[in-house]
Amino acid sequence: MTNAMELYQMLPKTNCKKCGKTSCMAFAVALMARELTPEDCPPLKEESKYKENYEKISEIFKPSEGATETGLIVHEELCFGCGNCVVACPPNVANDPYGVGSGNAPKNVNKLVLTIEDGVVKAQNLEECRRFGKNKILCNGCIVTCPVEAIEFV
Amino acid sequence: MEKNYYVCTGCGLLCDDIEVESEKDKVNKVYTACRIGVAHMKETRGEAKFLVDNKPVDEATAINEAASILKNARNPLIFGLGTSTNETQKIAIELAKKINATLDDPSSFCLGPLAEALIQDKLKTCTLDDVRNKADVIIYWGTDPSDSHPRQLSKHSYFPRGSEKQRGWEEERTAIAIDVRKSHTAKICGNYFFQIPPKGDTEFIDALIAGLSGKLPKTSYNYPPKKILELANILKGAKFGVIFVGRGLIYSLENLEPLFKLMKILNEKANFHLIPMIGNYNTMGFNENLFAETGYVNSVKFENGTVKHGPEYSIVESLKAKTVDAAIIIGSDPLSILPRSIAKNMLEIPVISLDHCETLTSKHAKVYVNTAISGVESGGTAIRMDGVKVNFEPVIETNNPSDEVILKKIMEAL
Amino acid sequence: MDFGSFLAAPEIKVKVITYRDIFQDKAMLENRFGEEYRNLSAVIKLDPADLKQLSVKKGETVILKNSFGRVVVKAEESGYETPHKGIAYMPKSPWSNMLVSDETGGTGVPKFKDISVTVTSAKGENVTELNF
């Protein structure tokens, strides 16, 4: 996984503000948050000297197959359906404390990020995921509780 | 809207919160159940209904053939019943009495000794609900529930919030795995995985007891004493500890003495409970039902109103010594699950197989009855691995008879 | 000493530990005579050093043999970080049960998780069919 600093190193570092952000570092952070895309930096996109870096960055943020807005990918073929992630996911617990938060079937499906369907984890309501949006944090509750590597963030 | 939950009979956990979308005789979608549960609920069955010598017959012919096999046997074996309801098990016990049978279930070569000790109150135990609500130290010893009982960690032990454990697993619970290999469960336990060599459990228990008593823990395989002391300290601090015991531990011990000693000292220093990781959904039921009737949990032989007990009446020893001369196998497949060197003796005797799918055993049976899938197509009661009684309704309909119905009909035909 | 490596078909001795595997159990529920169950059951997971000594590549078949039986299964790398030369892992199945001793000491409990076998390359022989 790339961090904002590594992204910054590949940007023009001119702080031209054409992207609407105050600095190239701020743009890197916005990229990480998936608030902006590489195309939102006109110099990077248009100037030939940045071509190589533009391609590299675009590759990183290329919408991965099956990836969701938060970058969450479920490798269905690996999933045990054990529900560890469902029960450990902080927004799941907050939104359904007596259902999935207590290890049981969902009582409030509407706001759950992770549920188990036909023995495989399913991701939805990603706006609830703590990796989503401006105040995102790099929560890894669903990853460290998985017996295999069935969930991945890209 | 009140939801309609079903019980999953895919393993000893008997998860009671499963939502199902189904038609009359088909499960289409399953919510909340694990891989195993879903595969169990969606199991498909073979075409054959009643077979004698692998040829289709009607129900009456199959029942009569089964009855005649049992009638002509001097010492028939009744075996299986781990995936049968309490009601079916009780009929099987009656049948055993009636025909002077040897009666056993897979617990005789799995966790039977542990079930017996628990039923006799020789070990402190608790329910899975207690674990969820209170447990702060959880040990998985010689067991990998992630593979065998997939929702064990999420529904009952490590991850759920409980009435006295509101702040979650990171803060309030410690999960520990002791095993000979880094299982999927051990992976989740991270730094609290203690890998020991095969057959190293007894020594590890002794070393742990030494550590708990303030002595230097020693093992012939030089397990770092510091790590054992660290473990002992965690255990000493437990307000509500639980050890989940699997076959990996039981097969490695000569007898249960080391485990009794460990539980004794753990309860002097802290508060510890033990729960067996039973595989089949109603093995505990069989052990309890037979105990209520005979005072033994498995391996019995009925003889004109008396009952004998001992390992010589287990399936393994009776097949090995060829003391049984016919067998009725209910929901089990000894030709697959026993050592071939022993199971092969079953080919020499007439076998009746009651099962919802074809198995190696059914293929070599004289009589085969394709029964309803217990817990999916037929209901009843069962005893969960922690001793809690669970009622369940069938999820879908079937024309296939339940094992309960077939056993009753065989009884009548006798 | 590794005399085995000087022979035409290297042979090693291993202790086999059996274990449960969720996908194998699932495959059994779906079809215990099916290909998926066989592929996930008739497998031995070896230490890379043992594979090397056998001159067997992962995915090739090996013969497991002892006085109780002979079975051909697929050899795989275990993937465990800790080396475990001389110890191998097999999912609990009719294939592993072909190698379990009938010696029980009268206890009624076979040594399911304590199996000693010799391993040699099966030189392309197919995996043993599930049969009696």
Side-chain angles (χ1 to χ4, degrees):
Chain A
M1 183 72 212
T2 322
N3 62 36
M5 201 59 208
E6 282 171 29
L7 286 176
Y8 172 71
Q9 296 299 340
M10 290 190 270
L11 296 175
K13 289 184 263 193
T14 53
N15 299 336
C16 70
K17 304 184 180 64
K18 285 184 189 158
C19 61
K21 293 282 166 189
T22 52
S23 67
C24 287
M25 192 61 211
F27 178 73
V29 171
L31 271 181
M32 282 296 288
R34 287 170 168 74
E35 211 181 285
L36 295 177
T37 64
E39 294 95 80
D40 293 324
C41 172
L44 182 69
K45 193 181 170 190
E46 285 149 22
E47 291 178 32
S48 60
K49 60 181 169 181
Y50 300 123
K51 188 168 178 273
E52 202 181 317
N53 282 353
Y54 176 62
E55 281 168 3
K56 262 192 210 162
I57 295 174
S58 300
E59 182 64 23
I60 294 169
F61 290 98
K62 184 181 72 176
S64 305
E65 211 175 315
T68 57
E69 307 95 282
T70 57
L72 186 153
I73 290 184
V74 174
H75 298 284
E76 294 194 358
E77 74 287 0
L78 296 178
C79 178
F80 285 19
C82 67
N84 290 356
C85 56
V86 175
V87 178
C89 169
N92 266 18
V93 175
N95 292 330
D96 190 15
Y98 298 102
V100 295
S102 301
N104 295 315
K107 290 196 198 303
N108 176 24
V109 192
N110 304 331
K111 288 184 142 187
L112 295 182
V113 180
L114 300 165
T115 54
I116 303 288
E117 260 183 55
D118 272 337
V120 175
V121 66
K122 196 181 148 216
Q124 64 264 297
N125 302 318
L126 283 146
E127 66 285 359
E128 296 288 328
C129 176
R130 299 215 289 188
R131 284 185 174 242
F132 186 82
K134 270 187 185 163
N135 300 319
K136 75 185 199 102
I137 57 165
L138 289 180
C139 176
N140 61 0
C142 54
I143 298 174
V144 294
T145 55
C146 183
V148 279
E149 270 90 38
I151 294 183
E152 195 189 349
F153 284 97
V154 292
Chain B
M1 192 185 83
E2 192 57 30
K3 280 175 177 165
N4 192 10
Y5 291 121
Y6 289 100
V7 172
C8 172
T9 50
C11 79
L13 283 182
L14 289 168
C15 293
D16 56 1
D17 58 350
I18 311 301
E19 271 181 84
V20 172
E21 283 172 17
S22 61
E23 288 160 49
K24 194 166 152 287
D25 59 354
K26 190 166 173 282
V27 171
N28 291 326
K29 196 150 196 174
V30 183
Y31 296 89
T32 310
C34 68
R35 278 265 184 197
I36 296 288
V38 172
H40 168 62
M41 287 195 159
K42 291 188 172 179
E43 264 182 270
T44 50
R45 53 169 66 258
E47 289 289 300
K49 287 220 156 164
F50 303 94
L51 300 177
V52 170
D53 292 323
N54 282 317
K55 290 186 191 73
V57 295
D58 61 9
E59 182 182 296
T61 312
I63 299 282
N64 286 334
E65 183 64 31
S68 111
I69 289 171
L70 296 176
K71 206 182 288 175
N72 292 327
R74 190 180 31 80
N75 182 19
L77 167 70
I78 302 179
F79 177 81
L81 297 158
T83 54
S84 300
T85 60
N86 288 330
E87 296 70 31
T88 308
Q89 292 171 349
K90 285 174 186 165
I91 295 168
I93 296 172
E94 285 314 304
L95 176 65
K97 280 186 189 166
K98 187 167 176 172
I99 58 175
N100 286 331
T102 296
L103 173 62
D104 193 25
D105 84 317
S107 73
S108 68
F109 56 87
C110 295
L111 299 175
L114 209 49
E116 187 176 18
L118 288 163
I119 291 171
Q120 295 176 336
D121 282 330
K122 288 183 183 164
L123 287 165
K124 189 163 150 186
T125 189
C126 64
T127 66
L128 291 169
D129 308 279
D130 293 331
V131 176
R132 175 173 55 244
N133 287 329
K134 301 175 190 169
D136 53 357
V137 176
I138 302 157
I139 304 177
Y140 308 101
W141 198 327
T143 179
D144 174 21
S146 297
D147 279 81
S148 60
H149 302 69
R151 291 185 70 205
Q152 209 268 12
L153 277 73
S154 68
K155 186 169 164 62
H156 295 294
S157 59
Y158 192 22
F159 297 117
R161 311 280 163 136
S163 60
E164 294 173 34
K165 288 279 165 278
Q166 294 282 318
R167 293 207 306 275
W169 58 281
E170 304 105 312
E171 284 182 54
E172 291 192 295
R173 301 198 209 256
T174 307
I176 296 159
I178 304 172
D179 210 332
V180 297
R181 66 182 188 99
K182 191 173 178 183
S183 66
H184 290 117
T185 305
K187 177 182 173 281
I188 290 171
C189 294
N191 289 333
Y192 296 116
F193 166 45
F194 296 80
Q195 183 162 9
I196 57 175
K199 293 263 164 198
D201 299 77
T202 308
E203 271 194 64
F204 195 81
I205 290 177
D206 287 342
L208 191 53
I209 290 174
L212 287 163
S213 324
K215 295 180 199 137
L216 186 68
K218 283 186 204 149
T219 53
S220 66
Y221 45 85
N222 296 319
Y223 203 92
K226 216 181 128 195
K227 275 213 83 180
I228 299 182
L229 286 171
E230 184 196 332
L231 175 61
N233 271 332
I234 297 170
L235 304 194
K236 266 192 230 173
K239 293 201 173 59
F240 194 105
V242 59
I243 310 180
F244 289 105
V245 174
R247 287 203 261 172
L249 173 55
I250 294 303
Y251 285 164
S252 162
L253 302 177
E254 292 282 318
N255 54 53
L256 294 185
E257 258 338 290
L259 206 48
F260 287 137
K261 278 200 293 192
L262 177 65
M263 283 297 283
K264 185 164 173 281
I265 189 163
L266 281 175
N267 277 303
E268 285 163 14
K269 310 275 177 190
N271 174 26
F272 262 88
H273 311 77
L274 186 148
I275 296 179
M277 291 298 296
I278 291 172
N280 285 338
Y281 88 77
N282 201 22
T283 294
M284 200 44 135
F286 180 85
N287 294 144
E288 285 196 8
N289 290 323
L290 189 62
F291 187 84
E293 192 69 35
T294 66
Y296 307 110
V297 298
N298 54 34
S299 310
V300 295
K301 158 77 178 160
F302 291 95
E303 215 160 70
N304 307 321
T306 64
V307 58
K308 296 193 276 186
H309 163 75
E312 64 271 35
Y313 305 113
S314 66
I315 182 170
V316 166
E317 301 302 337
S318 25
L319 283 178
K320 204 181 149 188
K322 302 190 184 183
T323 51
V324 288
D325 54 355
I328 174 163
I329 310 293
I330 303 139
S332 184
D333 184 12
L335 289 186
S336 289
I337 63 173
L338 287 182
R340 178 162 290 223
S341 51
I342 292 165
K344 65 175 180 358
N345 290 354
M346 220 171 76
L347 301 176
E348 296 171 20
I349 58 175
V351 171
I352 302 151
S353 163
L354 312 187
D355 214 317
H356 63 263
C357 59
E358 273 192 69
T359 64
L360 276 180
T361 301
S362 81
K363 286 191 171 183
H364 290 274
K366 178 91 181 156
V367 180
Y368 168 60
V369 179
N370 191 335
T371 49
I373 306 173
S374 191
V376 180
E377 297 174 329
S378 62
T381 63
I383 310 291
R384 204 165 69 178
M385 63 185 201
D386 57 349
V388 171
K389 190 172 174 180
V390 178
N391 286 292
F392 50 89
E393 299 291 325
V395 184
I396 48 173
E397 293 172 21
T398 182
N399 292 322
N400 291 51
S402 67
D403 48 6
E404 185 182 351
V405 167
I406 295 297
L407 283 182
K408 272 186 191 156
K409 287 188 174 170
I410 293 176
M411 285 271 265
E412 281 161 22
L414 275 162
Chain C
M1 286 222 278
D2 289 332
F3 286 116
S5 49
F6 299 108
L7 299 171
E11 180 179 295
I12 60 164
K13 284 196 165 77
V14 297
K15 270 194 177 293
V16 177
I17 294 170
T18 57
Y19 65 95
R20 293 275 299 268
D21 172 79
I22 186 172
F23 289 101
Q24 181 222 7
D25 278 351
K26 168 198 151 276
M28 185 188 78
L29 290 169
E30 286 167 357
N31 180 6
R32 57 176 70 214
F33 296 105
E35 204 176 317
E36 190 185 352
Y37 182 56
R38 189 177 63 222
N39 288 342
L40 293 172
S41 300
V43 172
I44 186 161
K45 298 193 168 185
L46 293 157
D47 188 279
D50 284 334
L51 274 174
K52 200 175 163 202
Q53 195 174 345
L54 288 168
S55 320
V56 166
K57 291 194 195 69
K58 45 186 179 183
E60 293 179 352
T61 53
V62 289
I63 301 167
L64 310 180
K65 216 169 128 182
N66 61 18
S67 51
F68 311 102
R70 175 192 186 274
V71 57
V72 179
V73 299
K74 210 165 50 183
E76 297 282 4
E77 245 177 58
S78 71
Y80 294 121
E81 305 116 27
T82 332
H84 54 89
K85 204 167 167 351
I87 293 179
Y89 301 92
M90 274 180 95
K92 175 177 79 89
S93 80
W95 285 267
S96 67
N97 281 333
M98 288 185 208
L99 302 164
V100 179
S101 162
D102 63 352
E103 198 38 70
T104 58
T107 58
V109 188
K111 295 183 172 66
F112 286 106
K113 286 181 186 269
D114 182 9
I115 308 171
S116 294
V117 295
T118 60
V119 191
T120 50
S121 165
K123 301 191 173 110
E125 190 179 333
N126 285 339
V127 164
T128 306
E129 291 288 329
L130 187 53
N131 220 324
F132 245 94

